[in-house]
């Protein structure tokens, strides 16, 4: 069943990448943070979303993840979240907080406050991190 899920996810990601419409002007050198970089299921992925994901994926590494990797990760997250929500999956706040604690430990941060301090230093919003962790838990 896991292999089938990976195949389905790969197919969905491939279709989303093929049909993810880049927003007008998305190729500008300094895009407006809150303009759309693309769309998934009619919802915008902003340049800010992509920037946050690049920084989040770059935690513990030398620099942010490439923009293309971050954009693909955002598309995949949107598809995962939509599928989980369509299946009626919802998480209790405690589950998300436990997931954040595990994420903090994986990043070498000392608890929630340590994670928040690290995210602040790296320019990553706690809300973007929370949404990432929540989506992965839902999936």
């Amino acid at each position: 069943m896991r292999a089938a899920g990976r195949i389905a996810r790969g197919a969905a990601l491939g279709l989303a990448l093929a049909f993810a419409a880049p927003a007008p002007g998305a190729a500008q050198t300094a895009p407006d943070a809150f303009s759309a970089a693309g769309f998934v299921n009619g919802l915008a992925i902003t340049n800010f979303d992509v920037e946050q994901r690049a920084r989040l994926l770059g935690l513990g590494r030398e620099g942010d993840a490439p923009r293309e990797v971050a954009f693909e990760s955002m598309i995949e997250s949107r598809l995962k979240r939509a599928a989980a929500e369509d299946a009626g999956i919802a998480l209790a706040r405690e589950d998300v907080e436990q997931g954040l604690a595990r994420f903090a430990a994986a990043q070498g941060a000392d608890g929630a406050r340590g994670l928040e301090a690290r995210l602040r230093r790296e320019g990553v919003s706690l809300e973007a991190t929370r949404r990432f962790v929540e989506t992965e838990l839902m999936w």
Side-chain angles (χ1 to χ4, degrees):
M1 186 76 172
R2 292 186 124 211
R6 283 193 294 266
I7 292 169
R9 187 179 75 201
L13 179 58
L15 285 172
L17 288 172
F19 292 106
Q28 297 173 353
T29 55
D32 177 37
F34 295 103
S35 64
F39 296 87
V40 173
N41 295 333
L43 299 174
I45 295 174
T46 67
N47 289 306
F48 179 78
D49 294 331
V50 175
E51 177 186 313
Q52 287 292 292
R53 183 58 58 93
R55 290 178 180 179
L56 182 63
L57 294 175
L59 288 176
R61 298 184 177 102
E62 293 183 26
D64 300 346
R67 182 173 174 81
E68 298 79 26
V69 171
F71 184 61
E72 288 177 17
S73 177
M74 285 300 307
I75 291 169
E76 185 174 341
S77 284
R78 292 285 172 90
L79 291 171
K80 285 178 176 180
R81 190 171 193 95
E85 288 172 351
D86 287 348
I89 297 172
L91 299 174
R93 183 169 176 82
E94 298 82 37
D95 294 332
V96 177
E97 294 305 317
Q98 288 174 358
L100 273 171
R102 287 192 303 273
F103 183 81
Q107 295 301 316
D110 185 24
R113 288 180 193 240
L115 177 63
E116 286 183 59
R118 175 133 188 240
L119 293 172
R120 207 172 13 261
R121 280 193 310 274
E122 300 293 332
V124 180
S125 79
L126 180 58
E127 184 55 35
T129 305
R130 180 182 307 282
R131 193 152 177 88
F132 172 77
V133 168
E134 183 178 33
T135 299
E136 291 302 311
L137 290 171
M138 290 171 77
W139 185 248

